[in-house]
Amino acid sequence: MSHHDERTFVMAKPDAVQRGVVGEIVSRLEGKGLKMVAGKFVQIDEELAHEHYGEHEDKPFFDGLVEFITSGPVFAMVWEGADATRQVRRMMGATDAQEAQPGTIRGDLGNDLGHNLIHGSDHEDEGANEREIDLFFDEDELVDWEQGTATWVYEDA
Ligand code: IDP
């Protein structure tokens, strides 16, 4: 894999679906030059919610978080690019959308700590991206394709 082939897991949460900003989120990631390699519209069940957010099990907001993430469909995605995990986190903005900087997805579109529109793998949690991709996608759901614009996105592509 070349250095711009890092993969990360991204999810437009139920509030993004309900508010009709899934396209905007996809558009921002596309605009950055990232490459979508998988995407599916799914309803998360209790079991998957517990697996995905297992690290927060002991937090006071855990039950509310599970209720929210299972409250309606999400759009789960895998995106690829140079330093993709950290880049997506930067584009997402701070967890609390009220504090997130303008110019970020949460800062521009969100207004709440819990309802913050987007999930992206934590770049500070080693292997979180691969674990989350595995949780939501089978290997054969990841599409191998050439991004024709890559040589214009990356000088060394
Ligand atoms: P992140 O999504 O920015 O990585 P995490 O700390 O991993 O943030 O928390 C996971 C999710 O749990 C957040 O995106 C948010 O939806 C929710 N959450 C985090 N902290 C709180 C809280 O204090 N109250 C309610 N919901 C929270």
PDB file of all heavy atoms in Angstrom, residues 8-11 13 52-53 85 88-89 92 106 118-123 128-129 132:
ATOM      1  N   THR A   8     -10.105   4.576   6.795  1.00  0.00           N
ATOM      2  CA  THR A   8     -10.750   4.926   8.054  1.00  0.00           C
ATOM      3  C   THR A   8     -12.254   4.683   7.953  1.00  0.00           C
ATOM      4  O   THR A   8     -12.828   4.714   6.861  1.00  0.00           O
ATOM      5  CB  THR A   8     -10.434   6.384   8.448  1.00  0.00           C
ATOM      6  OG1 THR A   8     -10.835   6.601   9.797  1.00  0.00           O
ATOM      7  CG2 THR A   8     -11.116   7.393   7.535  1.00  0.00           C
ATOM      8  N   PHE A   9     -12.853   4.426   9.105  1.00  0.00           N
ATOM      9  CA  PHE A   9     -14.294   4.189   9.160  1.00  0.00           C
ATOM     10  C   PHE A   9     -15.001   5.497   9.509  1.00  0.00           C
ATOM     11  O   PHE A   9     -14.606   6.202  10.450  1.00  0.00           O
ATOM     12  CB  PHE A   9     -14.614   3.128  10.219  1.00  0.00           C
ATOM     13  CG  PHE A   9     -16.083   2.910  10.405  1.00  0.00           C
ATOM     14  CD1 PHE A   9     -16.822   2.236   9.441  1.00  0.00           C
ATOM     15  CD2 PHE A   9     -16.740   3.403  11.525  1.00  0.00           C
ATOM     16  CE1 PHE A   9     -18.187   2.050   9.593  1.00  0.00           C
ATOM     17  CE2 PHE A   9     -18.105   3.209  11.688  1.00  0.00           C
ATOM     18  CZ  PHE A   9     -18.828   2.530  10.724  1.00  0.00           C
ATOM     19  N   VAL A  10     -16.047   5.812   8.757  1.00  0.00           N
ATOM     20  CA  VAL A  10     -16.816   7.035   8.967  1.00  0.00           C
ATOM     21  C   VAL A  10     -18.294   6.671   8.966  1.00  0.00           C
ATOM     22  O   VAL A  10     -18.718   5.778   8.232  1.00  0.00           O
ATOM     23  CB  VAL A  10     -16.538   8.062   7.840  1.00  0.00           C
ATOM     24  CG1 VAL A  10     -17.322   9.355   8.078  1.00  0.00           C
ATOM     25  CG2 VAL A  10     -15.044   8.369   7.721  1.00  0.00           C
ATOM     26  N   MET A  11     -19.069   7.364   9.782  1.00  0.00           N
ATOM     27  CA  MET A  11     -20.500   7.089   9.805  1.00  0.00           C
ATOM     28  C   MET A  11     -21.283   8.388   9.946  1.00  0.00           C
ATOM     29  O   MET A  11     -20.988   9.198  10.834  1.00  0.00           O
ATOM     30  CB  MET A  11     -20.780   6.170  10.996  1.00  0.00           C
ATOM     31  CG  MET A  11     -22.212   5.869  11.258  1.00  0.00           C
ATOM     32  SD  MET A  11     -22.338   4.505  12.450  1.00  0.00           S
ATOM     33  CE  MET A  11     -21.738   5.243  13.941  1.00  0.00           C
ATOM     34  N   LYS A  13     -24.360   9.768  11.324  1.00  0.00           N
ATOM     35  CA  LYS A  13     -25.226   9.265  12.399  1.00  0.00           C
ATOM     36  C   LYS A  13     -26.706   9.522  12.091  1.00  0.00           C
ATOM     37  O   LYS A  13     -27.031  10.253  11.136  1.00  0.00           O
ATOM     38  CB  LYS A  13     -24.801   9.939  13.714  1.00  0.00           C
ATOM     39  CG  LYS A  13     -23.397   9.549  14.183  1.00  0.00           C
ATOM     40  CD  LYS A  13     -23.080  10.232  15.515  1.00  0.00           C
ATOM     41  CE  LYS A  13     -21.728   9.818  16.052  1.00  0.00           C
ATOM     42  NZ  LYS A  13     -21.459  10.451  17.374  1.00  0.00           N
ATOM     43  N   HIS A  52     -19.653  -1.425  18.981  1.00  0.00           N
ATOM     44  CA  HIS A  52     -19.011  -0.236  18.421  1.00  0.00           C
ATOM     45  C   HIS A  52     -18.610   0.762  19.511  1.00  0.00           C
ATOM     46  O   HIS A  52     -17.542   1.363  19.440  1.00  0.00           O
ATOM     47  CB  HIS A  52     -19.947   0.422  17.403  1.00  0.00           C
ATOM     48  CG  HIS A  52     -19.393   1.678  16.816  1.00  0.00           C
ATOM     49  ND1 HIS A  52     -18.279   1.691  15.995  1.00  0.00           N
ATOM     50  CD2 HIS A  52     -19.764   2.980  16.945  1.00  0.00           C
ATOM     51  CE1 HIS A  52     -18.008   2.927  15.637  1.00  0.00           C
ATOM     52  NE2 HIS A  52     -18.884   3.729  16.208  1.00  0.00           N
ATOM     53  N   TYR A  53     -19.490   0.956  20.489  1.00  0.00           N
ATOM     54  CA  TYR A  53     -19.218   1.949  21.532  1.00  0.00           C
ATOM     55  C   TYR A  53     -18.789   1.310  22.854  1.00  0.00           C
ATOM     56  O   TYR A  53     -18.900   1.937  23.910  1.00  0.00           O
ATOM     57  CB  TYR A  53     -20.436   2.851  21.735  1.00  0.00           C
ATOM     58  CG  TYR A  53     -20.559   3.937  20.676  1.00  0.00           C
ATOM     59  CD1 TYR A  53     -21.737   4.093  19.938  1.00  0.00           C
ATOM     60  CD2 TYR A  53     -19.523   4.836  20.427  1.00  0.00           C
ATOM     61  CE1 TYR A  53     -21.859   5.095  18.973  1.00  0.00           C
ATOM     62  CE2 TYR A  53     -19.635   5.833  19.474  1.00  0.00           C
ATOM     63  CZ  TYR A  53     -20.802   5.970  18.759  1.00  0.00           C
ATOM     64  OH  TYR A  53     -20.914   6.967  17.813  1.00  0.00           O
ATOM     65  N   THR A  85      -7.353   8.795   8.625  1.00  0.00           N
ATOM     66  CA  THR A  85      -8.025   8.768   9.930  1.00  0.00           C
ATOM     67  C   THR A  85      -7.931  10.132  10.614  1.00  0.00           C
ATOM     68  O   THR A  85      -8.935  10.690  11.059  1.00  0.00           O
ATOM     69  CB  THR A  85      -7.401   7.670  10.833  1.00  0.00           C
ATOM     70  OG1 THR A  85      -7.292   6.468  10.065  1.00  0.00           O
ATOM     71  CG2 THR A  85      -8.244   7.417  12.050  1.00  0.00           C
ATOM     72  N   VAL A  88      -9.853  12.976   8.591  1.00  0.00           N
ATOM     73  CA  VAL A  88     -11.311  12.978   8.800  1.00  0.00           C
ATOM     74  C   VAL A  88     -11.642  13.562  10.170  1.00  0.00           C
ATOM     75  O   VAL A  88     -12.566  14.368  10.310  1.00  0.00           O
ATOM     76  CB  VAL A  88     -11.914  11.563   8.629  1.00  0.00           C
ATOM     77  CG1 VAL A  88     -13.361  11.527   9.103  1.00  0.00           C
ATOM     78  CG2 VAL A  88     -11.827  11.112   7.174  1.00  0.00           C
ATOM     79  N   ARG A  89     -10.858  13.193  11.183  1.00  0.00           N
ATOM     80  CA  ARG A  89     -11.100  13.740  12.534  1.00  0.00           C
ATOM     81  C   ARG A  89     -10.991  15.269  12.526  1.00  0.00           C
ATOM     82  O   ARG A  89     -11.774  15.960  13.163  1.00  0.00           O
ATOM     83  CB  ARG A  89     -10.094  13.165  13.537  1.00  0.00           C
ATOM     84  CG  ARG A  89     -10.218  11.678  13.774  1.00  0.00           C
ATOM     85  CD  ARG A  89     -11.413  11.303  14.595  1.00  0.00           C
ATOM     86  NE  ARG A  89     -11.397  11.851  15.929  1.00  0.00           N
ATOM     87  CZ  ARG A  89     -12.232  11.478  16.896  1.00  0.00           C
ATOM     88  NH1 ARG A  89     -13.148  10.533  16.670  1.00  0.00           N
ATOM     89  NH2 ARG A  89     -12.178  12.025  18.084  1.00  0.00           N
ATOM     90  N   MET A  92     -14.068  16.660  10.980  1.00  0.00           N
ATOM     91  CA  MET A  92     -15.252  16.494  11.824  1.00  0.00           C
ATOM     92  C   MET A  92     -15.387  17.631  12.823  1.00  0.00           C
ATOM     93  O   MET A  92     -16.477  18.101  13.090  1.00  0.00           O
ATOM     94  CB  MET A  92     -15.150  15.183  12.620  1.00  0.00           C
ATOM     95  CG  MET A  92     -15.443  13.941  11.837  1.00  0.00           C
ATOM     96  SD  MET A  92     -14.847  12.438  12.675  1.00  0.00           S
ATOM     97  CE  MET A  92     -15.524  12.609  14.327  1.00  0.00           C
ATOM     98  N   ARG A 106     -18.995  19.298  12.114  1.00  0.00           N
ATOM     99  CA  ARG A 106     -19.810  19.537  13.315  1.00  0.00           C
ATOM    100  C   ARG A 106     -19.986  21.027  13.582  1.00  0.00           C
ATOM    101  O   ARG A 106     -21.054  21.477  13.992  1.00  0.00           O
ATOM    102  CB  ARG A 106     -19.161  18.845  14.515  1.00  0.00           C
ATOM    103  CG  ARG A 106     -19.308  17.323  14.484  1.00  0.00           C
ATOM    104  CD  ARG A 106     -18.390  16.671  15.483  1.00  0.00           C
ATOM    105  NE  ARG A 106     -18.648  15.241  15.663  1.00  0.00           N
ATOM    106  CZ  ARG A 106     -17.836  14.423  16.328  1.00  0.00           C
ATOM    107  NH1 ARG A 106     -16.721  14.888  16.861  1.00  0.00           N
ATOM    108  NH2 ARG A 106     -18.135  13.141  16.456  1.00  0.00           N
ATOM    109  N   ILE A 118     -21.642  12.970  12.995  1.00  0.00           N
ATOM    110  CA  ILE A 118     -20.659  12.122  12.313  1.00  0.00           C
ATOM    111  C   ILE A 118     -19.759  11.386  13.303  1.00  0.00           C
ATOM    112  O   ILE A 118     -19.409  11.936  14.367  1.00  0.00           O
ATOM    113  CB  ILE A 118     -19.817  12.963  11.313  1.00  0.00           C
ATOM    114  CG1 ILE A 118     -18.757  12.120  10.580  1.00  0.00           C
ATOM    115  CG2 ILE A 118     -19.175  14.161  12.000  1.00  0.00           C
ATOM    116  CD1 ILE A 118     -18.084  12.837   9.403  1.00  0.00           C
ATOM    117  N   HIS A 119     -19.430  10.162  12.938  1.00  0.00           N
ATOM    118  CA  HIS A 119     -18.415   9.401  13.665  1.00  0.00           C
ATOM    119  C   HIS A 119     -17.235   9.165  12.730  1.00  0.00           C
ATOM    120  O   HIS A 119     -17.429   8.881  11.547  1.00  0.00           O
ATOM    121  CB  HIS A 119     -18.973   8.042  14.117  1.00  0.00           C
ATOM    122  CG  HIS A 119     -17.893   7.120  14.612  1.00  0.00           C
ATOM    123  ND1 HIS A 119     -17.444   7.146  15.913  1.00  0.00           N
ATOM    124  CD2 HIS A 119     -17.131   6.191  13.974  1.00  0.00           C
ATOM    125  CE1 HIS A 119     -16.460   6.268  16.042  1.00  0.00           C
ATOM    126  NE2 HIS A 119     -16.249   5.679  14.877  1.00  0.00           N
ATOM    127  N   GLY A 120     -16.044   9.256  13.266  1.00  0.00           N
ATOM    128  CA  GLY A 120     -14.845   8.872  12.522  1.00  0.00           C
ATOM    129  C   GLY A 120     -13.911   8.157  13.476  1.00  0.00           C
ATOM    130  O   GLY A 120     -13.820   8.538  14.653  1.00  0.00           O
ATOM    131  N   SER A 121     -13.226   7.137  13.003  1.00  0.00           N
ATOM    132  CA  SER A 121     -12.306   6.382  13.879  1.00  0.00           C
ATOM    133  C   SER A 121     -11.321   7.324  14.560  1.00  0.00           C
ATOM    134  O   SER A 121     -10.852   8.297  13.953  1.00  0.00           O
ATOM    135  CB  SER A 121     -11.509   5.361  13.066  1.00  0.00           C
ATOM    136  OG  SER A 121     -12.363   4.484  12.386  1.00  0.00           O
ATOM    137  N   ASP A 122     -10.993   6.994  15.809  1.00  0.00           N
ATOM    138  CA  ASP A 122     -10.050   7.799  16.585  1.00  0.00           C
ATOM    139  C   ASP A 122      -8.618   7.509  16.136  1.00  0.00           C
ATOM    140  O   ASP A 122      -8.152   6.385  16.249  1.00  0.00           O
ATOM    141  CB  ASP A 122     -10.230   7.446  18.068  1.00  0.00           C
ATOM    142  CG  ASP A 122      -9.388   8.309  18.980  1.00  0.00           C
ATOM    143  OD1 ASP A 122      -8.596   9.133  18.466  1.00  0.00           O
ATOM    144  OD2 ASP A 122      -9.518   8.164  20.201  1.00  0.00           O
ATOM    145  N   HIS A 123      -7.919   8.534  15.646  1.00  0.00           N
ATOM    146  CA  HIS A 123      -6.554   8.323  15.161  1.00  0.00           C
ATOM    147  C   HIS A 123      -5.573   8.078  16.311  1.00  0.00           C
ATOM    148  O   HIS A 123      -4.458   7.616  16.096  1.00  0.00           O
ATOM    149  CB  HIS A 123      -6.084   9.507  14.309  1.00  0.00           C
ATOM    150  CG  HIS A 123      -5.950  10.793  15.072  1.00  0.00           C
ATOM    151  ND1 HIS A 123      -7.041  11.457  15.564  1.00  0.00           N
ATOM    152  CD2 HIS A 123      -4.874  11.517  15.434  1.00  0.00           C
ATOM    153  CE1 HIS A 123      -6.628  12.546  16.198  1.00  0.00           C
ATOM    154  NE2 HIS A 123      -5.314  12.602  16.132  1.00  0.00           N
ATOM    155  N   ALA A 128      -7.986   1.338  15.662  1.00  0.00           N
ATOM    156  CA  ALA A 128      -9.440   1.553  15.774  1.00  0.00           C
ATOM    157  C   ALA A 128     -10.085   1.567  14.391  1.00  0.00           C
ATOM    158  O   ALA A 128     -11.187   1.034  14.202  1.00  0.00           O
ATOM    159  CB  ALA A 128      -9.725   2.862  16.508  1.00  0.00           C
ATOM    160  N   ASN A 129      -9.393   2.170  13.422  1.00  0.00           N
ATOM    161  CA  ASN A 129      -9.944   2.235  12.059  1.00  0.00           C
ATOM    162  C   ASN A 129     -10.190   0.836  11.498  1.00  0.00           C
ATOM    163  O   ASN A 129     -11.300   0.533  11.029  1.00  0.00           O
ATOM    164  CB  ASN A 129      -9.048   3.073  11.141  1.00  0.00           C
ATOM    165  CG  ASN A 129      -7.596   2.629  11.103  1.00  0.00           C
ATOM    166  OD1 ASN A 129      -7.152   1.858  11.955  1.00  0.00           O
ATOM    167  ND2 ASN A 129      -6.852   3.109  10.134  1.00  0.00           N
ATOM    168  N   GLU A 132     -13.060  -1.035  13.396  1.00  0.00           N
ATOM    169  CA  GLU A 132     -14.403  -0.544  13.086  1.00  0.00           C
ATOM    170  C   GLU A 132     -14.818  -0.919  11.667  1.00  0.00           C
ATOM    171  O   GLU A 132     -15.973  -1.244  11.420  1.00  0.00           O
ATOM    172  CB  GLU A 132     -14.453   0.977  13.316  1.00  0.00           C
ATOM    173  CG  GLU A 132     -14.304   1.298  14.795  1.00  0.00           C
ATOM    174  CD  GLU A 132     -14.296   2.788  15.121  1.00  0.00           C
ATOM    175  OE1 GLU A 132     -14.208   3.619  14.181  1.00  0.00           O
ATOM    176  OE2 GLU A 132     -14.365   3.114  16.318  1.00  0.00           O
TER     177      GLU A 132
END
